[in-house]
Amino acid sequence: MTMQSKFMQRTHALPLIFLIVASQFMLSAKTVTAQGLIAIRGATIETVGKEGRIEDGTLLVRNGKIEAIAKDVEVPVSAHVIDGRGLTIMPGIVDPYYVVQVARSSAPASETRTVIVRGRSFNIGGGSPAVSTSFTKIADGISMSSQDWQVAARSGITSLHVVTGGYAQSLFAKLGQPSTAGIATAEIVDPNGKLLVTVSNDSRSLDIVRNGLKEPQGRGGGRGGPRGAPPASSAGSNTASSPAAGTTEGENPQTPPGTQGVNELWKQVREGKSHLFVNVNNAAAILHTLAAVNEVKNAKIAFIASGADVYVTLEALQPDNHMVILPPRIDTIPNSANLVNIPRSLAEKKISFAFSTSLAQSDFRTQQDTPLFSVGLLVRSGLDRKLALEALTSAPAKLLGLESKIGTLEVGKLANFMVLDGDPFATTTGIKKIYVDGKPIYEN
């Protein structure tokens, strides 16, 4: 064979070699996409679970769930490997009280109202904000696409307990893939959430709690509705003119099949199977609510309150039945200029608490570059670091009954986490990327 023919043979072989290499690369890429296989190596991992903090660890995600998490993990060749050196991974924030507006009727306002700002009381004309006493189910009145989820995404929130004011049933949601325009989206995970009541200076809101906690009349616990409670016809869009076919004992017959009736929600509260979420306008509302539930020994209450109101009523709260949801910030003692770390005080009394970063709207919108700055201040002023992490993640997940799926980074749980460029509570730490179900939904 001449030199020329040998050269031509080698030249013709080059495209074949290129095709083989290219096909192998494409096959590998398809394998990664099909398996959803991601590995982040060399990061500091705050599991907020039994493994605690893992230095120089590896997080392996397959098909939206955590497959392995440890210091030494065997990473499959087909995995998409990300260098995590210098970064910190922690569970995505679970917001236990994310407020949205839902169209509904409202009651007339009283002539004046009292508001407390950093411990100082002010009387304001125009009356209290109207709080509806008619029941509504948020899932029936919300358009998820019309809500602004961008701030939540930029703040590290991955799961949301979506609530509204007044008397309602919440829903559970998660952030989803951005729209084609790059705007954050969210989707409903479960339309049947928890029971919500806003208690104000208006006694009608407190009557909802009193009447709802009473054992219903008649057999089976619930076809007639609780004594004195708002009639079933006030249940908003869930009502019908006749009993729904297929309802079970204890379910409101005017509630369509497949949804939880109001009576069943109250039954879960009376039996201690679910917390009643009570948003209070002032310290007096906390005390009135406690008096209303005093005779129902199993009832558990999650109070949504300001730090100042919690400070005033701290001695009345009990570890076994009460929990507090509050914004993460340093508060001022009422009628004083002295600062107080309310979460630390709750921890000292063994009362569970969770942070809702969205409750402090001013901080929520202005601290998006460093969303955990306020929590870091609490840690630096004495709040236990582990409790601070739990208050953002595992504590609200447990409160909502979602601890088997989210709240900690453990094998088998959903891969909902955020990647930070430093320690979570360092002053300048920001978010690099957020993952939900193992897929990136936000990148800074």
Side-chain angles (χ1 to χ4, degrees):
M1 183 180 294
T2 63
M3 290 293 293
Q4 184 177 3
S5 61
K6 289 181 178 180
F7 176 78
M8 292 297 292
Q9 187 180 27
R10 291 171 183 169
T11 303
H12 288 136
L14 285 175
L16 181 59
I17 296 172
F18 176 80
L19 288 173
I20 293 173
V21 173
S23 64
Q24 289 178 341
F25 176 82
M26 293 174 66
L27 179 61
S28 176
K30 288 180 180 178
T31 302
V32 172
T33 303
Q35 294 180 341
L37 199 53
I38 303 171
I40 305 179
R41 279 176 163 170
T44 298
I45 305 176
E46 297 279 6
T47 69
V48 198
K50 60 183 180 181
E51 298 296 330
R53 183 173 182 167
I54 302 173
E55 300 285 356
D56 192 20
T58 297
L59 175 65
L60 183 63
V61 176
R62 188 191 298 270
N63 293 333
K65 291 187 176 181
I66 298 173
E67 183 170 289
I69 181 169
K71 187 172 181 63
D72 297 309
V73 174
E74 184 176 346
V75 178
V77 176
S78 59
H80 173 55
V81 179
I82 299 173
D83 184 3
R85 288 176 296 181
L87 303 177
T88 300
I89 300 173
M90 66 171 283
I93 294 173
V94 181
D95 195 310
Y97 206 80
Y98 194 91
V99 181
V100 298
Q101 297 299 318
V102 177
R104 63 193 299 174
S105 61
S106 58
S110 56
E111 294 182 359
T112 62
R113 63 187 174 109
T114 301
V115 297
I116 299 176
V117 179
R118 295 193 177 276
R120 299 181 62 188
S121 299
F122 300 89
N123 291 323
I124 299 177
S128 300
V131 175
S132 176
T133 56
S134 63
F135 181 83
T136 190
K137 183 175 180 179
I138 296 176
D140 292 342
I142 188 174
S143 170
M144 299 296 284
S145 61
S146 66
Q147 301 289 328
D148 178 12
W149 307 106
Q150 192 68 15
V151 182
R154 294 188 61 184
S155 302
I157 295 173
T158 56
S159 301
L160 313 96
H161 182 215
V162 180
V163 303
T164 194
Y167 180 30
Q169 181 181 10
S170 65
L171 63 84
F172 303 130
K174 66 177 180 180
L175 290 187
Q177 294 296 299
S179 66
T180 54
I183 305 300
T185 63
E187 58 187 86
I188 297 175
V189 175
D190 187 350
N192 297 317
K194 303 294 184 177
L195 195 58
L196 317 169
V197 180
T198 299
V199 175
S200 66
N201 294 334
D202 188 338
S203 62
R204 288 175 298 178
S205 61
L206 190 60
D207 285 341
I208 293 175
V209 178
R210 293 193 187 101
N211 296 328
L213 289 173
K214 293 178 181 178
E215 289 289 345
Q217 295 176 334
R219 294 183 304 156
R223 288 200 179 272
R227 292 191 303 270
S233 60
S234 70
S237 58
N238 286 344
T239 57
S241 58
S242 60
T247 54
T248 57
E249 194 70 22
E251 183 179 6
N252 189 328
Q254 294 184 325
T255 302
T259 61
Q260 288 181 298
V262 183
N263 296 327
E264 176 61 25
L265 293 171
W266 281 110
K267 182 172 182 286
Q268 291 178 8
V269 171
R270 288 193 298 270
E271 295 176 351
K273 296 178 180 178
S274 179
H275 281 74
L276 173 65
F277 286 71
V278 179
N279 189 345
V280 293
N281 286 5
N282 48 50
I286 296 178
L287 297 176
H288 286 311
T289 303
L290 291 175
V293 303
N294 186 46
E295 296 180 0
V296 186
K297 64 178 182 179
N298 293 323
K300 297 179 180 179
I301 308 296
F303 285 106
I304 298 86
S306 69
D309 291 338
V310 173
Y311 178 85
V312 173
T313 59
L314 188 59
E315 294 305 314
L317 300 177
Q318 300 299 321
D320 294 337
N321 297 80
H322 306 142
M323 183 173 186
V324 178
I325 297 172
L326 70 170
R329 64 188 178 199
I330 300 292
D331 288 285
T332 304
I333 296 176
N335 304 316
S336 167
N338 297 326
L339 301 178
V340 62
N341 187 330
I342 294 299
R344 179 183 175 182
S345 300
L346 289 168
E348 290 172 349
K349 202 178 175 188
K350 308 298 182 184
I351 296 174
S352 299
F353 62 92
F355 291 138
S356 172
T357 56
S358 63
L359 282 176
Q361 277 291 313
S362 58
D363 293 341
F364 188 49
R365 295 184 176 275
T366 59
Q367 294 181 3
Q368 291 178 65
D369 289 337
T370 54
L372 300 183
F373 178 82
S374 297
V375 184
L377 289 180
L378 291 168
V379 172
R380 287 189 286 278
S381 63
L383 176 62
D384 180 78
R385 175 191 176 88
K386 182 174 180 291
L387 289 178
L389 286 168
E390 291 175 348
L392 291 163
T393 57
S394 62
K398 184 177 180 180
L399 171 65
L400 301 173
L402 304 174
E403 68 272 24
S404 65
K405 298 179 180 179
I406 58 175
T408 60
L409 299 180
E410 298 179 82
V411 173
K413 289 193 174 183
L414 295 176
N416 295 355
F417 60 92
M418 54 180 167
V419 181
L420 308 170
D421 59 12
D423 183 90
F425 302 135
T427 304
T428 59
T429 293
I431 295 173
K432 297 288 289 183
K433 196 175 268 190
I434 297 173
Y435 290 79
V436 173
D437 296 343
K439 298 177 182 178
I441 65 160
Y442 172 76
E443 185 174 2
N444 188 3

